[in-house]
Amino acid sequence: EGGTASGECEGQQTTGITADSIKLGGVYPLSGPASAYGDIPKGIQAYFEYLNKEKGGLDGRQVTFTVRDDGYQPPKAVEEVRRLVEQEQVFALFQTLGTPSTTATWDYTNQRKVPQVFVATGASKWGSDTKHPWTIGWQPNYISEARVYAQFLKNENPDAKVAVLYQNDDFGKDLLDGFKKAIAGSQITIAQEQSYEVTDPSVEPQVRNLSGSDADVFLNITTPKFGSQALAADAKLTNWNPTHIVNNVAASITVLRPVGFPNVQGVVSATYYKDPVDPQWANDAEMKLYKQKMKQYQPQADPNVPYHAFGWAAADSFAKTFTAAKCKTREGLRDSMRNLKNVQVPMLLPGVTLNTGADDGFPIESMQMMRFQGERWNLFGPVIDTRKEFGPLTG
């Protein structure tokens, strides 16, 4: 059972895995206010199809990836995670998207000892919490991201006055708190803060309020739908022209396009993976492979959407983590995801690798700034390793 070697792996959990198959499950907001993230699993499916059909599977096993929709509602996430674990009997959960949804499910997954691998949220607790060893993040955490923006402002505008719009939940507060800590002791100040709820119809009133402050920087901490609204509201306010920083999770071209590219020129953000529309990757071997396989296995999906590339990179990270596991068991996967040493994932930016340790659950902590010019993002400045620049992250 489970296709694992006897000995040290004996007695470990092999639900959902055999010598030739592995069942994974993911939960995403395919509907609701954060439905733009529904593009991510398409990139994941393309990657796993490619492995299954052309590479003999993942470590010799055919991968089934079952995706459930929680509409960005934590109670629904709990329901779908339970269904994946108890009815579908998945080996592991790969990606639950959203800080509120993952927070609602991680007690359950850890009680059941089901790996919750590379959750699609940058909350800092996935990496610093010691009571949930079965759950781990993937993308740079929001505190690291906030540190990168603080560093950018210290260099470019050391006396910046910042107006902040943030989602009123663990995600928004995590990034905002990280930013406040990172600017402590500098001349950068926060002029005004406005929060919004994911149930709000629009954030335009909040942006109008912020424009009344004397801020010369607008820090936009939003998910895609509200990111578009905030960018559009800022563009309308012609008498307010702050440096607009949009957080990474809303920096997709799919967020900017509805606002109109002329209206988002000069907006800045930070990233850690390759943008499919950036010509510098046109001859990149991984980008070519990704675009070819997206066309082949997800023909209805646009390979230029960055969320697809995010999914591909996350799936590749999962494959490498699973392959490195000594035991092909749930325990083996849990141990492997906490023992990543300079793992190369070709869809990540050069210089960005996966690193974790027993007491470091943050696989990616390096980012590079980017500015929107013309019809795409342009990277600028060095890749910033926030571990090196700011020291280890404390919760």
Side-chain angles (χ1 to χ4, degrees):
E1 163 70 15
T4 53
S6 57
E8 63 175 320
C9 303
E10 204 130 7
Q12 295 188 2
Q13 294 188 80
T14 52
T15 302
I17 189 168
T18 67
D20 49 20
S21 71
I22 178 170
K23 284 166 83 170
L24 304 174
V27 179
Y28 297 86
L30 305 180
S31 60
S35 59
Y37 295 135
D39 283 332
I40 293 171
K42 296 173 193 167
I44 294 173
Q45 296 285 19
Y47 182 87
F48 286 146
E49 288 279 292
Y50 159 64
L51 286 192
N52 287 343
K53 298 201 165 98
E54 300 176 43
K55 295 284 171 188
L58 170 52
D59 214 43
R61 294 166 175 84
Q62 291 292 298
V63 184
T64 315
F65 182 53
T66 304
V67 175
R68 296 280 182 203
D69 177 21
D70 71 352
Y72 208 60
Q73 296 167 353
K76 190 89 173 80
V78 172
E79 204 178 292
E80 295 302 350
V81 162
R82 293 185 88 107
R83 181 179 297 174
L84 287 166
V85 171
E86 293 168 30
Q87 288 171 25
E88 302 283 343
Q89 301 235 308
V90 296
F91 173 69
L93 289 159
F94 167 52
Q95 297 234 297
T96 39
L97 190 138
T99 305
S101 290
T102 306
T103 302
T105 56
W106 72 334
D107 282 345
Y108 169 78
T109 55
N110 280 265
Q111 277 155 11
R112 296 291 297 239
K113 299 189 161 78
V114 178
Q116 194 171 19
V117 190
F118 301 148
V119 295
T121 143
S124 53
K125 60 185 173 187
W126 317 134
S128 55
D129 176 276
T130 50
K131 295 183 193 72
H132 298 81
W134 298 85
T135 303
I136 199 166
W138 181 71
Q139 68 208 65
N141 67 80
Y142 301 131
I143 294 178
S144 291
E145 183 180 349
R147 289 168 155 187
V148 171
Y149 301 141
Q151 187 80 346
F152 161 71
L153 289 175
K154 285 174 188 173
N155 294 337
E156 302 261 321
N157 183 357
D159 301 311
K161 294 182 180 66
V162 186
V164 185
L165 174 69
Y166 68 98
Q167 189 162 296
N168 187 24
D169 63 8
D170 286 353
F171 145 61
K173 291 172 189 165
D174 210 19
L175 209 154
L176 176 54
D177 290 347
F179 184 75
K180 285 178 177 170
K181 280 186 188 147
I183 61 171
S186 74
Q187 297 303 303
I188 299 166
T189 53
I190 291 187
Q192 202 186 336
E193 296 172 20
Q194 291 270 303
S195 67
Y196 72 91
E197 306 296 330
V198 291
T199 49
D200 286 357
S202 168
V203 294
E204 194 170 336
Q206 285 94 325
V207 178
R208 269 204 306 274
N209 286 343
L210 291 171
S211 73
S213 69
D214 60 352
D216 54 3
V217 174
F218 177 21
L219 177 58
N220 175 358
I221 308 172
T222 51
T223 47
K225 171 185 157 184
F226 301 104
S228 284
Q229 291 179 355
L231 286 154
D234 177 24
K236 268 191 214 162
L237 295 159
T238 48
N239 58 340
W240 189 46
N241 294 300
T243 300
H244 192 135
I245 302 174
V246 60
N247 63 177
N248 171 272
V249 298
S252 172
I253 208 98
T254 50
V255 173
L256 304 182
R257 191 178 280 121
V259 184
F261 291 153
N263 297 321
V264 292
Q265 295 300 306
V267 168
V268 293
S269 188
T271 192
Y272 50 97
Y273 62 97
K274 294 170 182 171
D275 181 349
V277 297
D278 187 336
Q280 74 173 305
W281 313 123
N283 293 312
D284 179 79
E286 185 73 2
M287 189 60 79
K288 282 170 137 167
L289 176 72
Y290 155 78
K291 287 189 171 173
Q292 190 190 345
K293 299 309 161 194
M294 279 300 291
K295 286 198 178 93
Q296 197 173 338
Y297 297 121
Q298 292 284 321
Q300 77 301 350
D302 177 3
N304 287 332
V305 171
Y307 294 134
H308 295 147
F310 171 103
W312 178 277
D316 188 22
S317 302
F318 179 89
K320 289 179 162 69
T321 304
F322 176 80
T323 303
K326 287 192 186 76
C327 297
K328 306 304 178 193
T329 58
R330 284 174 168 174
E331 291 83 350
L333 180 57
R334 173 203 61 197
D335 294 346
S336 182
M337 71 193 194
R338 293 192 172 267
N339 187 31
L340 302 170
K341 299 279 173 272
N342 282 319
V343 176
Q344 304 277 340
V345 175
M347 190 55 85
L348 298 178
L349 292 177
V352 179
T353 57
L354 305 182
N355 286 285
T356 56
D359 54 354
D360 176 8
F362 300 108
I364 303 172
E365 284 193 81
S366 299
M367 297 188 93
Q368 189 170 8
M369 289 294 294
M370 59 183 183
R371 186 177 277 113
F372 200 80
Q373 290 162 316
E375 299 194 346
R376 63 180 180 84
W377 290 105
N378 281 289
L379 295 167
F380 69 91
V383 169
I384 298 167
D385 180 341
T386 62
R387 278 187 187 90
K388 283 198 184 121
E389 293 291 325
F390 299 94
L393 201 84
T394 47

